[in-house]
Amino acid sequence: MFDNVWLIPLFPFIGFLINGLLGKKIKNETVIGGIGALAVLCSFLVSCKTILALLSLPGEERVANVKVFTWITSGSFNADIAFLIDPLSCVMIMIVTGVGFLIHVYSIGYMHGEEGFYRFFSYLNLFMFSMLLLVLGNNLLLMFVGWEGVGLCSYLLIGYYFHKKSAGDAGKKAFVMNRVGDFGFLLGTFTLYWYMGQAHNVWTIKFTDLAANSHLLPTGGIVTAITLCFFLGATGKSAQIPLYTWLPDAMEGPTPVSALIHAATMVTAGVYMIGRMNYLFIRSPETLMVVAVVGGCTALFAATIGTAQNDIKRVLAYSTVSQLGYMFLAMGTGAFAAGIFHLMTHAFFKACLFLGSGAVIHSMHHALHHVHSHDDAQDMRNMGGLRSKMPLTFLTFLLATIAIAGIPGFSGFFSKDEILWQAFSNPHHGDLNYLLWGMGALAAGLTAFYMFRLVFMTFFGECRITPKAKDHLHESPMVIVIPLIVLAALSVVGGYIGLPKVIGELFGGIPNYFEHYLEPVFKYSEEYMAQHAAHAAEHSATLEWGLMGLSVLVALVGITIAFTMYVKNTELPKRFVATFPALHRAVYNKWYIDELYDYLFVNPCKALGRFLWKGFDVVVVDGVVNGVANVVMAFSGVFRYMQSGYIYNYAWSMAFGVVVILGYYVFK
Amino acid sequence: MSNHLLSLTTFLPILGVLLLLFIPKDSKGVLRGVALAVTVVTFLVSLPILTGFQTNAEFQFLENVPWIAAGPFVMRYNVGIDGISLWLVILTTFIMPLAVLSTWTAVEEKVKEYMICLLLLETGMLGAFISLDLFLFYIFWEVMLIPMYFIIGIWGGKNKIYAAVKFFIYTMVGSLLMLVALIFLYFKGLDAGFSNFGLLQFFDLRLDPATQTWLFLAFALAFAIKVPMFPLHTWLPDAHTEAPTAGSVILAAILLKMGTYGYVRFALPLFPDAAHRFTPLIATLAVIGIIYAALVAMVQEDVKKLVAYSSVAHLGFVMLGVFAFNTQGITGGMLQMLNHGVSTGALFLIVGFIYERRHTRLITDFGGLSKQMPIFATIFMIVTLSSIGLPGTNGFVGEFLILLGSFESSLRWWAVVASSGVILSAVYMLWMFQRVMFGELDNPKNQTLSDLNAREIAIMLPLLALIFIMGVYPNPFIEKMDPAVQKLVAQTKPLGMSARQMPAMQMQGLPAGHPAIPGMAVPAVEQATPAVADPNEVK
């Protein structure tokens, strides 16, 4: 019944080929953009059909492997091109193709008139293809193909404006940091394959086989090593500490790219991967702790940086890093469904925010361009008061902001609150839970602060560009606005399929549909937990309500501070900067992490390379080689006098020889 | 006729040389055309070898006739191929037409001699891959050396004499040691009752450990220079940089494979115990090579030198895989040999294209070429990605199997370190690509560059096709070589298997206590094949 799932990645691939090979000749933007969007729409429709087919099956039968052909066979190793259909991959393809389609449509408007329009759409389709391989791949290696493929597309799209050095640098940085993660992914794959094989004679990298045999694995030990390797991979792809620094730089790419790749889909691949291999991670308490702590720290750390950035996209980038931190926090507390749930709601509201910021930048850019101003169209200090000029953009942006800030009733509230509750109440981390919850709650407050700071600086107050330029500000065309509206609507209502238990009970026992739907995927972990983990302390519903109230309160405080500083009393930020110059400088400069990495890794590597080349290759090895050659030359320089060709020289040597031989016999 | 297919393929280029001799040296067009035609025909003639090859571990297309008998020395013209040499033969005949095309316009001086050198070289390389007689192999091995020496020394760049002499002497040192070892081995064979230099019989000769050690060292050194392995690699950057494009392409794509092929065909099966003894050393040098060459490549200022160093890193991977002594490792190593031929060959062609236009290879002289040369940019990007082993391209499959194989063997920690090479390769290749292709097109000399012409695109297309075919559907390649690889794995099992190596053997699905069978060469092949097991059936 899933026989045609291979169509899902195939459509975007065809789109990629058409636009990539013929796009330059087609020229017509509507046709190119149409092909790109249509390809994704087709995938989306097949995805819908697939998930409906899946839902028609009883819970325990909702898993299928669909093989296309054998890819690599060598000895006991086997990897197929084959797809895995289960609730988790289905929810992912729905997000990827659904949000992806909206962003494709938006791009037709946004990229209008750009040089290399066809190139953009072919890359975007290639990205969709790779991402779908990643989530549909039924084995580690095929997932890795998608994993690297999305990295490549990210590289190509970040470097889309390749004539800018900063864009090229950012693309390279993204690729290399991702490769550091890939190194971990590969090692994890090797170790898992090798261990399962030599210890239990299970030679496989297929997810369903691994899951079915996961009971053979021990707790901790080798599993900790394997999962930590995979987690390193996740930190690269999903921009977690210590490999997060590429994501803010990735904002060099066009804004739809930031929305699609660097917010809604690719960067969540790490979360998906942990969800896919939850049965491994649950078996290592140590790794779970590392995941939770890294997630919590990233959530908080990135949020602090977000408070001091002035580039509208950079604020959103740090926000993305921070929100991804939440997802890892969830994964690290064993709340896999909650993590995936936040992945989904985040895809809605963050895509909406990025696209909204894109609309703002687009409008600002045109306005500034008209008056030949070279002011930065992305700098919020140049914006202000856009509310009246772009009402629809403002409204959708505001809704998404409320969602991310965690105001009750909006999608972000449900997913974030579920994560915070799990951080507090999970049975894995003992007293660390309080810290995890604290970091999460504090980050929630900061999130509310910097997001409303962004809204206030952009849409409220006085417009800070010249009045002449101001007249050219305008609302975006429908092709841009409609995706915004759809995403904003999803940001509002998307959370209701996953109501937290206490809220569901309040409304007459509405179940958490989302968690229930994902149950078959996480059943191995559930079984393991039932046998092994210490039982969770019983927490009363009152406590849950109390914590929920507290997190809402923290968010409201954040919003209030933002309102005070950026609407009521706009002198406050300057006073704050004047009072704490060092702190502001550190935050503004992202805590100097980039500089630290340059100092620790980049520069030493280059210096070492130079030393090995000029020092070792040229001096030592070639020194020996040329030295030997010179010695030989020197000897032959001496010996060649023996064959000078002059008779008298030979006569002399003969005479000398005779004397020596005679002398020897005489004096013996 | 088909019985002589190998000889026909190998000596067709020599016939071409004879033909060229009758063409006046000023008719450059005719000379080029004839040389191209000869290489194309050679390629076409070699295709029936591929299609007629039976997927088993036997040597095929055998020809064995008396050749020289001088006193105790009996050499025979004994040739044949198995799954391992098959692909290298095809790679050679495939690359040669591209190489001839690559310097179609770049070489204007002494065209006749140049083409003769290329054709002689082809015969030498093909002969070395098909030889099943130790002495015949040695002859071909030396035959390759001379045309290459001239190609670098006559048609090379500024520093050509230094590079050519360095290339020659480095290789010669190794060859002479190999010759001595070869003769010594021959006398050992005479003692055991052999009557000629035929290679296959020597596989059954299990020498005592001390003799194996010395002979292995001599062979290994000769091959290590050719590979080249760290620290014997310094001839390569010079030779590559100075050689004309065709020279670099052939050097990278085929000549270097002579070294790794030497290990697979000779050093390992002839002296398995010694090979095992030196595995830690060789694996260490291979891994050092991977990291070292990557670091050095990163800081190169000359594109061609950068690619040359990347070759050293790639060949380090091949060596690591081969010395894993298991199916995945050796299969990966073999695939990587082919991949490297395709990808690095393509990279040298690409460097040749821009050198021909700008007469410089310094990275700082370029920048922003993407804008001016979009087709070139796309092709360059694909080849770059294949070189860094992106999944979906050929480079990935080989690299992955090598790392997987060595991870399963006793070389686990070596594999871990080598894996970090995937990070470094991305760093140096992408950084170079960025500096050459991205950024502002601010150098006025670059603003008038023309994009690739039809000839250049035609050269690249077959390579691009292979990059994707071998990346997406590598199984046909693996299947053909698999029986030969299995046989090699069985042949190289050490006699006194130490406890440490036991698990590595078990992992291959081979019975652990399985004694190494001395007479493994031909009749006992079937014993190795059941090792292919479907992992899914295990559970």
Side-chain angles (χ1 to χ4, degrees), chain B residues 56-188:
Chain B
N56 60 43
E58 309 277 346
F59 279 91
Q60 301 169 28
F61 299 98
L62 289 167
E63 289 169 56
N64 193 347
V65 291
W67 178 35
I68 304 173
F73 297 104
V74 178
M75 298 92 167
R76 296 177 70 86
Y77 178 76
N78 183 354
V79 297
I81 51 166
D82 66 349
I84 289 173
S85 41
L86 166 73
W87 288 113
L88 293 166
V89 168
I90 303 294
L91 177 71
T92 308
T93 57
F94 169 76
I95 289 285
M96 285 310 290
L98 306 181
V100 171
L101 271 173
S102 73
T103 32
W104 200 256
T105 50
V107 169
E108 279 292 331
E109 301 273 300
K110 302 196 180 77
V111 177
K112 185 169 174 176
E113 290 83 348
Y114 179 74
M115 292 302 172
I116 289 176
C117 279
L118 285 182
L119 293 179
L120 279 178
L121 190 57
E122 179 166 17
T123 294
M125 295 185 300
L126 287 170
F129 285 133
I130 62 168
S131 294
L132 292 181
D133 180 283
L134 283 165
F135 195 79
L136 188 65
F137 170 74
Y138 184 77
I139 298 286
F140 280 121
W141 173 274
E142 292 295 313
V143 164
M144 295 182 309
L145 190 55
I146 294 150
M148 197 64 205
Y149 170 75
F150 285 126
I151 289 174
I152 299 173
I154 296 175
W155 295 276
K158 284 190 203 95
N159 233 341
K160 57 192 179 189
I161 300 299
Y162 174 75
V165 172
K166 200 170 175 184
F167 163 76
F168 193 85
I169 291 181
Y170 249 113
T171 318
M172 208 57 205
V173 169
S175 310
L176 288 177
L177 276 172
M178 184 169 76
L179 181 63
V180 174
L182 214 145
I183 292 169
F184 187 86
L185 178 67
Y186 181 65
F187 281 110
K188 283 278 174 188

Side-chain angles (χ1 to χ4, degrees), chain A residues 341 344-345 410-412 414-415 490-500:
Chain A
F341 186 40
M344 184 185 80
T345 58
F410 290 70
S411 65
F414 298 118
S415 56
L490 286 170
S491 318
V492 177
V493 303
Y496 287 94
I497 56 167
L499 290 183

Side-chain angles (χ1 to χ4, degrees), chain B residues 352-521:
Chain B
F353 295 155
I354 47 172
Y355 182 75
E356 216 177 312
R357 285 168 171 68
R358 284 278 282 107
H359 295 284
T360 174
R361 289 183 302 255
L362 287 185
I363 293 174
T364 45
D365 286 342
F366 298 106
L369 298 194
S370 283
K371 205 175 165 61
Q372 190 66 28
M373 310 169 73
I375 300 174
F376 177 74
T378 309
I379 293 177
F380 193 4
M381 174 55 91
I382 293 169
V383 176
T384 300
L385 295 172
S386 136
S387 173
I388 65 181
L390 195 88
T393 65
N394 57 349
F396 175 68
V397 184
E399 225 168 74
F400 178 81
L401 286 176
I402 287 170
L403 291 172
L404 187 75
S406 46
F407 196 88
E408 285 172 46
S409 74
S410 57
L411 299 174
R412 188 156 314 121
W413 293 105
W414 283 264
V416 172
V417 181
S419 302
S420 68
V422 304
I423 306 172
L424 292 172
S425 68
V427 174
Y428 66 75
M429 286 306 291
L430 290 182
W431 194 33
M432 180 267 281
F433 190 85
Q434 182 194 353
R435 284 177 295 166
V436 172
M437 303 306 293
F438 293 163
E440 292 290 349
L441 186 66
D442 43 14
N443 189 332
K445 284 183 188 157
N446 293 333
Q447 287 164 0
T448 53
L449 286 177
S450 55
D451 209 340
L452 297 190
N453 60 35
R455 171 182 62 90
E456 290 164 330
I457 295 173
I459 299 175
M460 295 309 291
L461 277 182
L463 292 167
L464 294 183
L466 270 185
I467 283 176
F468 290 117
I469 292 171
M470 294 176 71
V472 176
Y473 196 46
N475 247 7
F477 294 86
I478 297 176
E479 274 163 14
K480 284 249 194 258
M481 67 174 74
D482 196 56
V485 171
Q486 301 285 357
K487 184 166 120 189
L488 182 68
V489 170
Q491 276 175 338
T492 51
K493 230 180 304 169
L495 263 183
M497 209 188 299
S498 70
R500 199 168 62 92
Q501 285 154 342
M502 286 280 273
M505 289 300 157
Q506 280 170 346
M507 263 174 275
Q508 288 313 302
L510 288 169
H514 192 269
I517 301 162
M520 206 63 189

